[in-house]
Amino acid sequence: MEKFFFFLYSFLSFFLYVIALPLLAFFSFKTKYKDSLPARFFLWNNKPLKPHGIWFHSCSFGEAKAIKSLVDELPQESLRMTTTTYTGYKVIENYTKESRYLPFEPLLFGWLKPQKALVVMEAEFWYLLFALAQSRGAKTILINARMSDRSFPKYKKIEWLYKQIFKHIDEVYAQTDKDKERLESLGAKNVVITGNIKLAHLPDVTKEIKKPSSLVVCGASTHEGEETLILDAFAAFKKEHPEAVLLLVPRHPERFDKVAKMMEAFSAENHCTAQRYSQNEVLSSDIVLVDTLGELVNMYAISDIVILGGAFQPIGGHNAAEAAQFGCKIISGKHYFNQKDIFDAIEGIVVVEASNLSKRLLQYGLLKPTVIKSKSDTTLIIESLKSVL
């Protein structure tokens, strides 16, 4: 049965790949995908990783940043890295030159070399990734594993698939007791609770930025529809606090230009000044669009109030601990389902309906500075990885 599933899955994934080739080729010319799609689906400038290392796979920017606490404990020459996003790649290339975009599954047959361990972050459940890595000698490990209330019913509907995937995962490190229970119901074995590793290592300030003398509001990691909401709330706030400054930090760099136009139109209508941080790093305007990667933690360090994006739309939220480490007052939307464990570990976050954001911001004096109540322990993961070196 297991061999039959392997061949059937391999055939179907290759079939889907072939019929999708024209569409993939078309999107490869889009600016957003010009690096990732050619590398992932056509192996363009994407040679195999060197063999016999510790291979980490993390999908996004936040996940790639979160593995730093593990990376720092391992010999640099042993590191191998893959990701599927441009923002993730900008992080992992700083860890090692052995950094690549992860090829689509059927291409792994010729691309994947034997490694000592494969470490996959959170919910990247690629069957052939685990099956091929394990068959070629790697210890396969899933870390920071989670099953949210929202996603678990979807996983259960195709439980048969996940039972096949977990046959090829040697160790699982889960975030919570509930995650452990849910993962085991899908076939996971050797499940250990370590907490959320995004709390194990929080990003450090990379440069000192001079804080404006007035109140600083940071609209952080925003998505489509959230910038308008934050700008409207700031307009009301500005009437009571004329010296206040708004730092606007979109989550995805491909949206920088669009948000810049939105900001410029807003500033003209509301008679305030605006600037792009990439053009002037002195915070001298009423609204500053932070349109460079890697600056968010530096902005958190000088912020009084953080309006955390990704939760006013049904995105799932973002890592509130990065702001909470500085004691920022944090306002979030209610759609933080992917970050529930992190929110539970932080005291003081205020969750509001999108329609009440303006009112809550005006009551900023009643907000409490946030405090991180608990962190995680990655000791067992590090010991497991060092055992194969």
Side-chain angles (χ1 to χ4, degrees):
M1 177 62 184
E2 192 171 326
K3 287 185 178 179
F4 174 76
F5 182 85
F6 177 85
F7 286 115
L8 179 62
Y9 186 96
S10 301
F11 172 78
L12 290 175
S13 64
F14 183 76
F15 177 74
L16 290 173
Y17 171 66
V18 170
I19 63 175
L21 278 175
L23 192 62
L24 292 168
F26 172 75
F27 278 104
S28 292
F29 291 98
K30 300 248 179 214
T31 302
K32 180 178 179 179
Y33 305 112
K34 67 181 180 65
D35 294 317
S36 60
L37 282 189
R40 293 195 63 212
F41 293 94
F42 300 97
L43 300 183
W44 182 262
N45 291 330
N46 195 11
K47 64 182 181 180
L49 294 166
K50 288 182 180 178
H52 310 305
I54 304 294
W55 173 14
F56 288 88
H57 176 67
S58 51
C59 175
S60 66
F61 180 86
E63 292 172 2
K65 296 278 282 187
I67 63 173
K68 191 174 188 304
S69 60
L70 303 176
V71 168
D72 288 344
E73 295 291 332
L74 299 170
Q76 204 277 336
E77 65 272 12
S78 73
L79 299 176
R80 313 286 185 264
M81 300 281 165
T82 56
T83 187
T84 55
T85 63
Y86 172 77
T87 53
Y89 188 82
K90 298 308 289 183
V91 176
I92 65 172
E93 67 177 350
N94 293 317
Y95 297 151
T96 174
K97 290 182 180 179
E98 287 298 307
S99 294
R100 309 282 190 269
Y101 284 103
L102 180 71
F104 185 53
E105 284 190 281
L107 300 179
L108 290 172
F109 281 94
W111 187 89
L112 193 154
K113 302 300 181 185
Q115 303 294 343
K116 294 180 179 179
L118 167 67
V119 186
V120 176
M121 183 75 168
E122 292 196 358
E124 288 286 277
F125 292 113
W126 297 105
Y127 172 75
L128 287 178
L129 173 61
F130 286 108
L132 291 174
Q134 188 185 61
S135 69
R136 297 178 188 185
K139 176 191 279 190
T140 52
I141 302 172
L142 181 67
I143 63 172
N144 222 41
R146 58 183 172 84
M147 285 282 157
S148 69
D149 295 340
R150 182 188 179 98
S151 63
F152 182 58
K154 299 175 184 176
Y155 284 108
K156 287 294 287 184
K157 288 180 180 178
I158 50 173
E159 180 179 341
W160 54 270
L161 171 60
Y162 292 100
K163 285 189 180 295
Q164 291 296 325
I165 294 173
F166 279 113
K167 286 180 181 179
H168 300 284
I169 302 178
D170 298 317
E171 298 174 359
V172 177
Y173 295 91
Q175 295 185 17
T176 66
D177 289 317
K178 183 176 285 188
D179 292 321
K180 180 178 187 290
E181 179 182 334
R182 289 173 172 176
L183 288 159
E184 288 176 337
S185 76
L186 294 173
K189 56 186 183 294
N190 301 325
V191 184
V192 177
I193 299 167
T194 56
N196 192 323
I197 73 168
K198 290 180 179 178
L199 296 172
H201 176 86
L202 296 173
D204 297 320
V205 171
T206 58
K207 66 181 177 185
E208 298 292 333
I209 297 175
K210 185 176 181 182
K211 184 184 185 302
S213 57
S214 54
L215 282 169
V216 177
V217 180
C218 180
S221 293
T222 56
H223 293 255
E224 187 76 38
E226 294 183 326
E227 291 91 6
T228 300
L229 184 71
I230 292 170
L231 285 168
D232 288 343
F234 182 69
F237 189 75
K238 189 81 168 166
K239 291 177 181 177
E240 293 196 11
H241 305 278
E243 301 302 316
V245 172
L246 173 65
L247 310 176
L248 201 53
V249 193
R251 179 70 173 182
H252 298 119
E254 63 269 18
R255 298 188 61 246
F256 286 162
D257 289 341
K258 180 177 182 179
V259 177
K261 292 177 182 178
M262 187 187 309
M263 176 187 70
E264 290 162 4
F266 177 88
S267 61
E269 182 179 342
N270 289 273
H271 309 292
C272 56
T273 58
Q275 70 181 81
R276 296 183 67 149
Y277 186 74
S278 61
Q279 298 172 357
N280 178 12
E281 295 189 358
V282 177
L283 306 181
S284 56
S285 301
D286 297 311
I287 306 173
V288 180
L289 173 63
V290 182
D291 55 348
T292 54
L293 292 174
E295 293 290 350
L296 183 56
V297 68
N298 300 327
M299 300 302 160
Y300 282 150
I302 62 167
S303 296
D304 299 294
I305 309 162
V306 171
I307 303 172
L308 190 58
F312 294 97
Q313 298 290 334
I315 307 296
H318 293 300
N319 190 348
E322 295 179 357
Q325 68 176 315
F326 300 106
C328 300
K329 298 180 177 182
I330 300 176
I331 304 174
S332 170
K334 64 180 183 179
H335 303 290
Y336 60 90
F337 46 85
N338 283 339
Q339 305 291 331
K340 187 177 184 302
D341 53 319
I342 290 183
F343 275 53
D344 289 345
I346 298 171
E347 186 177 289
I349 299 176
V350 173
V351 177
V352 301
E353 293 282 350
S355 58
N356 288 332
L357 176 60
S358 181
K359 178 181 178 180
R360 206 68 180 96
L361 182 60
L362 287 169
Q363 297 172 336
Y364 86 96
L366 301 177
L367 303 179
K368 296 179 180 180
T370 50
V371 176
I372 300 175
K373 297 182 291 185
S374 62
K375 293 193 175 183
S376 63
D377 185 359
T378 59
T379 304
L380 292 176
I381 303 174
I382 293 166
E383 288 176 353
S384 179
L385 294 176
K386 286 184 175 180
S387 72
V388 301
L389 289 174

